[in-house]
Amino acid sequence: EAGVAQSPRYKIIEKRQSVAFWCNPISGHATLYWYQQILGQGPKLLIQFQNNGVVDDSQLPKDRFSAERLKGVDSTLKIQPAKLEDSAVYLCASSWDRGVSEAFFGQGTRLTVV
Amino acid sequence: GNSVTQMEGPVTLSEEAFLTINCTYTATGYPSLFWYVQYPGEGLQLLLKATKADDKGSNKGFEATYRKETTSFHLEKGSVQVSDSAVYFCALSGTGANNLFFGTGTRLTVIP
């Protein structure tokens, strides 16, 4: 079966610019997660969707980050405006249900803000 | 709160050496514990898990035992191979939670 697809793989932007990441989860997976992984740290959950509804966005910096999952399938994560400290790998993961232990991760998007 | 403390790396071993990567945790209730692995150029993959005390998770020759008395979940392998070179993450999911709390990761390099 196809895995979790993310694009782009790499992105370099200047601070104060905006950027968007895209994720296509495994077909049929109801739950979708976005994680931020800063260099040298473990992944940190930004937002979790169940179908097209938000389950947990408590760690999402809502003044600059937004995410949506239209029709309960693909998802986009946006940063506007970007800051230097947003440089990280953004990971998307999906699972059949809210059992996060069976989540499958994409390869991630490496963002560099200069 | 929930947190994971993981052995710092990097770790470099010769092929067929014994591997231990330490992981300790802090959690309320009865968390589930996991080891994820990230091979070069690939996404995170679940390596093994344990959902209750004294459970042993195992996969691909790796093992980890859920020790509630020492709040630990150390990863072990008796004989590593070059193909085991990767970054290993310890993680926990708290009682009733759906979020994974990750450690900082340990980079393992196995040399022939």
Side-chain angles (χ1 to χ4, degrees), chain A residues 32 49 51-53 67-76 78:
Chain A
L32 185 147
F49 292 94
N51 296 307
N52 60 349
E68 61 182 7
R69 190 183 183 196
L70 299 177
K71 301 181 181 178
V73 182
D74 293 5
S75 177
T76 56
K78 297 179 182 179

Side-chain angles (χ1 to χ4, degrees), chain A residues 36-39 83-90 111-114:
Chain A
Q36 179 193 57
Q37 186 177 11
I38 294 173
L39 186 65
K83 293 185 176 181
L84 296 177
E85 58 262 36
D86 297 332
S87 294
V89 176
Y90 291 84
L111 173 68
T112 303
V113 183
V114 298

Side-chain angles (χ1 to χ4, degrees), chain A residues 33 35 37 40-43 45 48 91 98 100-103 105-107, chain B residues 34 36 38 41-44 46 49 89 93 97-100 102-104:
Chain A
Y33 313 84
Y35 282 84
Q37 186 177 11
Q41 299 181 19
L45 181 72
Q48 177 185 342
L91 299 168
R98 295 173 69 176
V100 70
S101 62
E102 303 299 334
F105 284 79
Q107 291 184 290
Chain B
F34 312 90
Y36 276 79
Q38 188 169 31
E42 299 184 17
L44 280 166
L46 179 64
K49 66 178 182 181
F89 292 90
S93 178
N98 302 298
N99 186 9
L100 280 170
F102 285 89
T104 54

Side-chain angles (χ1 to χ4, degrees), chain B residues 28-47:
Chain B
T28 55
Y30 305 95
S32 296
L33 302 172
F34 312 90
W35 277 99
Y36 276 79
V37 59
Q38 188 169 31
Y39 297 105
E42 299 184 17
L44 280 166
Q45 303 173 26
L46 179 64
L47 180 60

